[in-house]
Amino acid sequence: MRTPSRLLGAGAVLLCLLSPAAAVHADPLPGDFLWGVATSGFQSEGSSPDSNWRRYSDSGRTHDAIGNSVDFRHRHSEDITRAADLGVDVFRFGVEWARLQPAPGVWDETELRYYDDVVREITGHGMTPMITLDHWVYPGWVADRGGWANPEIVDDWLANAQKVVERYAGVGAIWITINEPTVYVQKELTFGGIGPDRAPQMLDRLVEVHRRAYDLIHGIDPGARVSSNLAYVPAAMDALDATFVDRVRDKLDFLGVDYYYGLSLDNLTAVNAVTDAFYDISPQPDGIYHALMRYTRKFPGLPLYVVENGMPTDDGTPRPDGYTRSDHLRDHLYWMERARADGAPVIGYNYWSITDNYEWGTFRPRFGLFTVDALTDPTLTRRPTDAVATYRDVVANGLPQGYEPGRRAGVCSLVDPPLSCTNPP
């Protein structure tokens, strides 16, 4: 009996959805590709001055208090040296507004000299500083004035940005204006920095400071590359892009993409992101391919940079499924290279993070290449994970010849529906 052609077509689609992708080797990366590691100010520095997040930490509403975190403030030299030993090109860090400007119109020269040391260490090791101007933290005096609910924050924020950019213009820095704007708003809602009625207003002001900072930076540091990095949330990016990225597209020299978890018909564990239990999410490396291809189609010609990617473990314990940090790193790099081979203009990749740190209320998720037990080890010893040697080897030599991912692609990826499901790589 003859089978109707449309049934054959439906069967082909079903077979495509239920079958893993055929093995395809990824192309090696070019010599000018930027390898990096990342950290942030408040999360890692310790000895935190008064700020919105110091207040949230001290309020008793977080799982852990920040304490000294991993004390990057006094151990930055050793952590930067560890990054250099990996052979990476870029070291991302944040310059904390709360540390620089403890009161209106007052600049702390000691803290400015600390950041001078950080930049000097990075450049002295032959690396490029990627400087984040706002990683969700602002001074306590700004919080007292209403934070992002107060229109004066825009000019105050830009005054700090100008101070920082003027100080580090000419060092070859890559600039990140605002880290993950939509998650910034979500955290401020969660901890009471703004009320629900003020969320659209905060987004408007983040758009304004980014747009103005972009012009400010290019005026002070000609030739610098400027961007913001977005948090990739599977199946939600159309709505999230409309709140920020779509409104600043003309003020981006590249797009920063942070990818941590995927979503597919056979992997719905991303629901754990709602409670920040990221260690309970089953990694889906092929999702980074779909995330990068989405913006390749959406913003033709705009370079892409994976500003953050990494795997959390539960308080440093091995994952129950045996998936290691090295597995996670290599699998994601494979799919990133596949995206490049299919036309995604990816120019760089940062591993989050160089060490474990304070994950916005808790030390339980461990993301570090070097693990640090901030709660029970007074020496804050940095201990290398298996991924240290792996990353060093990948930076020097690329993925092993013929490498194929250890974790198969998801069944009908929903990272960028419907294309990620109907047109798997």
Side-chain angles (χ1 to χ4, degrees):
M1 186 173 96
R2 231 173 133 187
T3 304
S5 60
R6 68 178 173 182
L7 290 182
L8 279 173
V13 170
L14 182 61
L15 182 62
C16 179
L17 299 184
L18 297 180
S19 302
V24 178
H25 299 308
D27 293 336
L29 295 169
D32 61 353
F33 187 85
L34 296 174
W35 295 106
V37 293
T39 186
S40 82
F42 181 80
Q43 289 180 269
S44 61
E45 288 177 341
S47 57
S48 306
D50 184 31
S51 70
N52 61 325
W53 260 98
R54 178 59 189 262
R55 295 180 184 188
Y56 301 156
S57 170
D58 290 347
S59 69
R61 290 182 295 148
T62 60
H63 187 274
D64 299 312
I66 181 69
N68 281 325
S69 187
V70 296
D71 196 24
F72 182 82
R73 171 65 179 82
H74 301 102
R75 302 180 192 220
H76 55 276
S77 179
E78 60 181 272
D79 286 341
I80 292 167
T81 298
R82 287 186 178 92
D85 288 344
L86 294 169
V88 299
D89 309 291
V90 173
F91 191 101
R92 181 191 178 204
F93 70 101
V95 175
E96 286 297 334
W97 180 11
R99 195 176 288 282
L100 295 189
Q101 198 177 17
V106 176
W107 300 96
D108 190 321
E109 286 298 324
T110 297
E111 298 304 333
L112 281 163
R113 288 192 294 272
Y114 151 58
Y115 287 117
D116 292 347
D117 288 342
V118 172
V119 171
R120 190 179 304 112
E121 289 278 353
I122 293 169
T123 58
H125 281 96
M127 295 183 291
T128 296
M130 178 180 279
I131 303 176
T132 306
L133 294 172
D134 189 333
H135 207 121
W136 305 353
V137 180
Y138 48 84
W141 60 267
V142 173
D144 290 338
R145 294 178 172 185
W148 286 101
N150 182 354
E152 293 180 3
I153 194 174
V154 172
D155 287 337
D156 290 336
W157 190 100
L158 287 163
N160 174 71
Q162 181 170 343
K163 185 81 168 180
V164 175
V165 176
E166 287 177 343
R167 197 160 184 110
Y168 303 120
V171 302
I174 300 169
W175 296 95
I176 299 293
T177 57
I178 302 156
N179 179 78
E180 298 183 348
T182 56
V183 185
Y184 192 179
V185 173
Q186 180 256 317
K187 291 295 184 184
E188 286 293 277
L189 285 168
T190 299
F191 287 94
I194 58 169
D197 59 320
R198 299 288 187 169
Q201 193 176 63
M202 179 175 174
L203 283 162
D204 289 346
R205 289 174 182 151
L206 291 176
V207 168
E208 182 179 358
V209 297
H210 172 86
R211 295 186 65 83
R212 291 174 61 181
Y214 179 90
D215 292 337
L216 175 76
I217 294 168
H218 279 291
I220 298 171
D221 196 12
R225 288 175 283 188
V226 184
S227 187
S228 175
N229 55 312
L230 60 85
Y232 199 96
V233 180
M237 294 315 297
D238 285 344
L240 295 179
D241 283 352
T243 66
F244 186 85
V245 172
D246 291 349
R247 301 166 70 188
V248 301
R249 165 62 187 90
D250 59 322
K251 302 288 187 180
L252 296 171
D253 296 324
F254 64 92
L255 178 62
V257 179
D258 296 357
Y259 177 83
Y260 285 102
Y261 55 89
L263 182 68
S264 62
L265 292 185
D266 62 339
N267 181 10
L268 303 177
T269 60
V271 68
N272 290 292
V274 175
T275 57
D276 290 340
F278 295 107
Y279 37 77
D280 289 332
I281 297 175
S282 181
Q284 189 171 330
D286 62 292
I288 198 170
Y289 172 93
H290 299 295
L292 294 170
M293 294 308 296
R294 178 182 193 278
Y295 288 106
T296 300
R297 293 188 299 269
K298 181 169 184 173
F299 300 137
L302 182 65
L304 307 175
Y305 193 126
V306 180
V307 170
E308 294 182 21
N309 172 245
M311 184 184 80
T313 58
D314 189 357
D315 214 17
T317 59
R319 286 184 56 88
D321 60 6
Y323 199 59
T324 69
R325 195 172 297 282
S326 290
D327 296 333
H328 182 279
L329 173 61
R330 283 188 292 249
D331 284 2
H332 281 78
L333 293 180
Y334 168 88
W335 284 107
M336 181 188 72
E337 293 182 18
R338 285 286 303 277
R340 273 187 54 92
D342 286 347
V346 188
I347 61 171
Y349 172 93
N350 293 345
Y351 194 90
W352 179 274
S353 54
I354 182 65
T355 66
D356 294 334
N357 53 39
Y358 187 69
E359 288 298 328
W360 308 108
T362 176
F363 286 104
R364 185 172 173 181
R366 303 284 193 93
F367 283 89
L369 288 168
F370 292 86
T371 192
V372 186
D373 194 338
L375 293 179
T376 65
D377 178 9
T379 70
L380 297 175
T381 299
R382 276 73 163 145
R383 296 180 173 85
T385 65
D386 61 291
V388 168
T390 299
Y391 198 24
R392 183 183 295 115
D393 182 60
V394 168
V395 169
N397 305 307
L399 289 172
Q401 185 67 29
Y403 180 79
E404 297 295 341
R407 181 151 297 193
R408 69 173 180 81
V411 173
C412 185
S413 171
L414 302 175
V415 168
D416 180 30
L419 285 178
S420 59
C421 177
T422 59
N423 295 287

